[in-house]
Amino acid sequence: MPMPEPGGCPRSGVDRPDAHTTASDLADLREHRAAERPSAAQDRINRLVDEGSWTSLDEFAADGVRTGHGLVDGRTVCIFAQGPQPLGERGAARIGAVMDLALTIGSPVVGIHDFGPAPEPGVIAGLLRRRARASGVIPHLSLVLGSGLGAETFLPTMGDFVVMVDENSHLAMASPEVLSILFDEDSGTENFGGAHLHASTTGVAHYLAANEADATAFVVDLLTYLPSNNLDAPAPSDEVTDPAATEDDLALDVLIPDSANLPYDVTTAVRGILDDGEFLQTQTHFAPHLVTGFGRVDGRPVGVVANQPLYGGAALDLNASEKGARFVRTCDAFNLPVVTFIDSIGLQPISSEEHGVMVRRGATLAFAYAEATVPLITVVTRNARSDAFEVMGSKSLGADLCFAWPSARLGAAEETSLYAAVERGDIDGLIAPSETRPTVARALRMLASKQHSRPPKKFGNLPL
């Protein structure tokens, strides 16, 4: 068989089928393509999807963009991947088409982002509009595996979850070189838009991966907790939590220190209620005094929000309030119940935080809980000072059930009686820490049929 021209087909001499291409020509072209080394974009897709499940929607495209659909852990997911080449109008159109397909069939979409030179004006805007239209309807996960500047970075950032690779992923509006010229600033690449910065300071990155394989594994794991779309109700589960106390349950009875000022790791309590103790945390480096993540109870996915006393009394500051609000709204959008563990000294009172509009951020967190219609269960483990209790899943804010451990302290004064709180209806029951797992499991089973209604409106006006 004669060798093809560069980029061409052995029989037709073209790099894609045309009106005169025969079935034999097509077979030769595919054989030739298969013999070539896959592009970086295709390599990354192959690591994500189940083996043999990928269907390309642009098999013969010559640019660095790849789009299509495949199975991830047995479920259909639409995927687009940018290579490091410039994103042109045709590539953007194909990305838009697969985003439209995902919305039409109610499938999650994963964007794999590498970046080349800045695209022409207007190329990105249509994709941003599609992303906003699909928000809250289908999950959108962004894998950032390169360095992007300017408006092109908005598309991955608008995803529900953003995964970046340490030292390899960068998102910024301008390069350090431009800043140096315009503002006489000397910022290294990692300090200006690097993955670690976005994981710890800006909160853009939900996961800081060690390498691309780690990033891909996190996305695969995360997808197992998310539904395909907002109408995909959690499937009934045949699993039932064993009501008998285990050794791990009994260990919770001694988790809280005798001194109210001593810290403890709240993830011990969180893992105690989850199946097999498996807890997938998000944004671990951003506002670590508030823990967010996913697990399962009786086999059903749930979201968890918990104050972390290991850090400064788990005070609610700007970042913690924003982190919690965003997570609760994401769970609410995709029908995931939220279990909240409260142990906080309250909203951060220092003047710098007040200057940083803590009042508005606290209201944002309260708004997210108040607007949520999914099952909400709250467990007060120790401190629930008045403002923390008000903005994090109290009964008055909309929690369906609220339980307290014997170590709980409600209100502004420590002598507030838990029994009085039960009489007022602020607390539904006092439980031993070792009873938390079966109590939460029973509550979630009961709330699985929860019905909700909202007054007619387009959306709530979140205090941003």
Side-chain angles (χ1 to χ4, degrees):
M1 183 176 69
M3 291 299 293
E5 296 296 323
C9 172
R11 295 182 181 233
S12 65
V14 297
D15 63 355
R16 57 181 61 84
D18 59 23
H20 304 291
T21 302
T22 67
S24 181
D25 290 333
L26 185 60
D28 285 344
L29 178 56
R30 283 178 169 157
E31 182 180 356
H32 175 60
R33 290 294 192 200
E36 296 177 336
R37 185 182 185 279
S39 67
Q42 190 62 56
D43 279 339
R44 289 160 171 168
I45 290 171
N46 293 343
R47 283 198 296 266
L48 179 64
V49 299
D50 299 347
E51 185 176 359
S53 69
W54 175 247
T55 298
S56 174
L57 297 180
D58 49 15
E59 184 177 3
F60 303 103
D63 58 17
V65 174
R66 295 290 181 269
T67 64
H69 55 85
L71 301 180
V72 177
D73 199 30
R75 183 173 57 165
T76 297
V77 175
C78 290
I79 301 169
F80 64 86
Q82 298 171 248
Q85 297 89 341
L87 180 63
E89 290 186 2
R90 290 184 178 181
R94 297 204 309 279
I95 291 176
V98 80
M99 292 173 72
D100 290 343
L101 175 64
L103 189 60
T104 299
I105 66 175
S107 161
V109 60
V110 175
I112 303 175
H113 301 267
D114 205 340
F115 306 91
E120 292 296 319
V123 169
I124 296 297
L127 300 180
L128 299 182
R129 184 174 181 271
R130 283 181 167 90
R131 175 65 203 107
R133 182 166 173 260
S135 179
V137 181
I138 54 175
H140 186 130
L141 280 61
S142 301
L143 258 170
V144 179
L145 304 178
S147 298
L149 298 174
E152 195 173 10
T153 65
F154 296 159
L155 183 59
T157 305
M158 287 176 66
D160 296 303
F161 295 94
V162 180
V163 178
M164 300 181 72
V165 178
D166 196 14
E167 299 185 358
N168 289 336
S169 305
H170 303 84
L171 296 172
M173 293 309 299
S175 69
E177 292 78 13
V178 170
L179 283 182
S180 177
I181 295 171
L182 295 179
F183 303 107
D184 194 26
E185 293 183 6
D186 185 14
S187 297
T189 305
E190 190 61 29
N191 292 328
F192 189 77
H196 194 273
L197 175 79
H198 284 309
S200 61
T201 304
T202 69
V204 168
H206 293 79
Y207 184 68
L208 180 64
N211 49 50
E212 289 195 13
D214 182 29
T216 302
F218 181 82
V219 168
V220 172
D221 200 3
L222 179 58
L223 281 169
T224 67
Y225 293 96
L226 301 174
S228 292
N229 56 71
N230 65 329
L231 300 180
D232 187 7
S237 174
D238 295 329
E239 297 184 40
V240 176
T241 300
D242 185 357
T246 66
E247 290 186 7
D248 290 338
D249 291 330
L250 296 175
L252 296 183
D253 287 336
V254 294
L255 177 64
I256 304 297
D258 293 334
S259 171
N261 297 321
L262 291 177
Y264 64 94
D265 188 352
V266 75
T267 63
T268 302
V270 171
R271 295 180 185 278
I273 70 165
L274 301 177
D275 296 352
D276 301 319
E278 295 181 357
F279 182 42
L280 185 71
Q281 289 194 58
T282 60
Q283 293 184 296
T284 56
H285 301 283
F286 180 67
H289 40 295
L290 188 77
V291 172
T292 57
F294 299 101
R296 292 180 177 83
V297 177
D298 285 350
R300 294 185 179 184
V302 299
V304 179
V305 179
N307 300 121
Q308 178 56 284
L310 290 177
Y311 299 93
L316 290 170
D317 60 5
L318 296 175
N319 288 344
S321 299
E322 178 184 296
K323 176 180 177 178
R326 171 75 172 177
F327 185 81
V328 169
R329 284 172 67 85
T330 300
C331 290
D332 190 39
F334 296 117
N335 304 313
L336 298 175
V338 178
V339 180
T340 302
F341 288 83
I342 297 181
D343 183 356
S344 174
I345 61 174
L347 273 64
Q348 183 65 266
I350 62 175
S351 59
S352 63
E353 293 289 349
E354 289 293 338
H355 184 67
V357 294
M358 186 62 230
V359 170
R360 179 159 51 81
R361 290 291 176 83
T364 300
L365 180 59
F367 191 102
Y369 271 102
E371 191 183 43
T373 59
V374 294
L376 299 175
I377 298 173
T378 299
V379 179
V380 181
T381 61
R382 189 168 60 178
N383 295 315
R385 300 308 184 208
S386 55
D387 46 9
F389 193 50
E390 291 295 331
V391 303
M392 283 191 66
S394 65
K395 291 293 295 292
S396 299
L397 198 62
D400 296 292
L401 292 168
C402 185
F403 303 100
W405 290 3
S407 50
R409 299 291 184 269
L410 275 66
E414 286 194 7
E415 61 269 13
T416 299
S417 169
L418 288 177
Y419 299 102
V422 173
E423 290 180 356
R424 289 195 306 267
D426 295 334
I427 299 295
D428 291 297
L430 304 180
I431 60 173
S434 56
E435 297 171 337
T436 307
R437 178 179 56 84
T439 299
V440 169
R442 286 193 298 268
L444 287 172
R445 288 197 291 272
M446 182 269 293
L447 291 168
S449 59
K450 177 182 177 180
Q451 301 294 315
H452 63 83
S453 61
R454 286 174 173 163
K457 60 180 179 180
K458 292 178 68 175
F459 50 79
N461 194 9
L462 188 70
L464 296 174

